[in-house]
Amino acid sequence: MDNSINFRGAFIIKHPYADIIPKAALGSKNQVFKNFNAKGDTLYVVRDFYDKNIADIISATPNIKFKYYPTLNTYSGFDTQKTKEAKSILAKAAETAITAKNKLLAATRRPPKDLLETNIKRIQEKNLKFVKKEFFIDIDEVNYSKHIDVNTGICKILTKKQNPKTKKMISHTLVEISPPGKYGICYVTYTPVTTKEPTRRLAIQNGEKIVEYPNSDSSTYIDSIKSGQKSISDSFRENATEAVKYYTETLKKNKEILNI
């Protein structure tokens, strides 16, 4: 999954095609500078999602000349009442300007919706297959239920256990799997129903184990506490938290691009 997608842009359409872009293609939040220079060119500044609309029109128009600035958009400080300042903003981004149609289309290609909910479900389903084998859990059995939160990317396997004080059956998170982080690594926590079995923490990638973190009663853990270093559990927790943060920020960015 390409999590680096963040398309944005401003366009200068040169005369005589300066006014070829219809209002419907610009979205409700746009900035248009007509007669931007003495040659009668037009500067269009739109929200990221609408770059593709303009790029498609440019691509279908023979002999049209343009400049596309992929690092600029409506948040770049443009003011339609201040043409001089707008020219200064463009000058600072001049090295990024695109003037070829094929490069324009490549730069404004929208990410498919598959990068959103469908993709995290597919990733976590692969992780669940690993969990079944690693922890010998038949997650399809009636005593277990699974839940994939597409907003956080977290997958959980739930079961029931008895509250030792009230003797009532309560919900228990048996397995929790983070979404993939920056490097595609997911973090798995296995918390058994009984204390007779140890809690396990693993890092997995593409449904395969990379490493298992030592338990809190291991010599590695004890040595780290004595030396004042960060504990294994703290390190694992931070990695899992960062993975969730990376996923949620990427999800938000992609949804803004798709305008959903």
Side-chain angles (χ1 to χ4, degrees):
M1 179 170 71
D2 183 2
N3 294 316
S4 65
I5 298 171
N6 188 22
F7 303 130
R8 56 183 65 200
F11 299 78
I12 289 181
I13 309 292
K14 297 184 179 294
H15 182 78
Y17 297 98
D19 298 324
I20 197 172
I21 310 298
K23 290 183 179 180
L26 301 175
S28 59
K29 303 291 184 181
N30 63 75
Q31 295 164 302
V32 179
F33 298 73
K34 291 194 174 184
N35 297 312
F36 186 63
N37 51 33
K39 296 180 180 180
D41 301 341
T42 298
L43 169 64
Y44 297 91
V45 186
V46 296
R47 292 286 176 88
D48 299 350
F49 179 78
Y50 295 93
D51 290 359
K52 182 67 165 56
N53 294 350
I54 298 176
D56 286 345
I57 294 171
I58 290 174
S59 178
T61 305
N63 303 317
I64 190 172
K65 292 185 178 181
F66 67 94
K67 282 188 178 181
Y68 171 61
Y69 298 83
T71 60
L72 303 176
N73 65 5
T74 52
Y75 297 103
S76 299
F78 288 100
D79 185 333
T80 54
Q81 303 301 314
K82 299 178 180 180
T83 302
K84 184 177 179 180
E85 286 81 351
K87 290 180 179 179
S88 178
I89 294 171
L90 293 178
K92 292 178 181 178
E95 292 184 358
T96 68
I98 292 172
T99 57
K101 289 183 179 181
N102 61 330
K103 292 183 178 180
L104 171 65
L105 292 176
T108 57
R109 185 172 54 247
R110 291 176 187 151
K113 290 186 178 182
D114 187 52
L115 291 182
L116 304 174
E117 287 85 354
T118 304
N119 200 59
I120 190 61
K121 288 179 180 178
R122 184 166 58 247
I123 291 170
Q124 293 293 23
E125 287 294 344
K126 182 182 289 185
N127 290 337
L128 286 170
K129 290 180 180 178
F130 164 82
V131 165
K132 290 175 69 173
K133 294 180 180 179
E134 183 70 21
F135 304 119
F136 304 102
I137 303 172
D138 184 3
I139 60 176
D140 299 317
E141 204 257 339
V142 293
N143 291 328
Y144 304 104
S145 63
K146 64 180 180 181
H147 175 67
I148 301 173
D149 187 337
V150 296
N151 294 312
T152 64
I154 294 174
C155 175
K156 292 182 179 182
I157 297 176
L158 306 174
T159 188
K160 296 286 186 180
K161 76 172 185 178
Q162 189 179 61
N163 185 311
K165 293 183 179 180
T166 64
K167 304 302 179 182
K168 292 182 178 180
M169 299 303 292
I170 59 174
S171 180
H172 172 73
T173 301
L174 186 65
V175 178
E176 181 170 311
I177 313 170
S178 81
K182 184 176 182 180
Y183 301 105
I185 299 174
C186 301
Y187 297 89
V188 182
T189 303
Y190 171 70
T191 308
V193 174
T194 68
T195 56
K196 294 180 181 179
E197 191 179 354
T199 295
R200 295 175 61 188
R201 302 177 181 88
L202 304 88
I204 64 176
Q205 188 175 42
N206 295 323
E208 297 182 0
K209 181 165 64 175
I210 299 175
V211 66
E212 181 160 355
Y213 288 68
N215 290 320
S216 59
D217 58 351
S218 70
S219 59
T220 304
Y221 177 87
I222 295 170
D223 289 342
S224 69
I225 296 298
K226 288 180 179 179
S227 63
Q229 297 176 6
K230 188 182 299 182
S231 72
I232 298 296
S233 58
D234 287 341
S235 177
F236 175 87
R237 193 179 301 110
E238 286 185 9
N239 289 339
T241 299
E242 281 299 313
V244 173
K245 180 181 178 183
Y246 183 81
Y247 170 82
T248 55
E249 288 179 349
T250 301
L251 181 68
K252 180 181 178 182
K253 180 171 62 178
N254 286 345
K255 282 189 173 182
E256 287 175 351
I257 294 170
L258 292 168
N259 197 34
I260 59 176

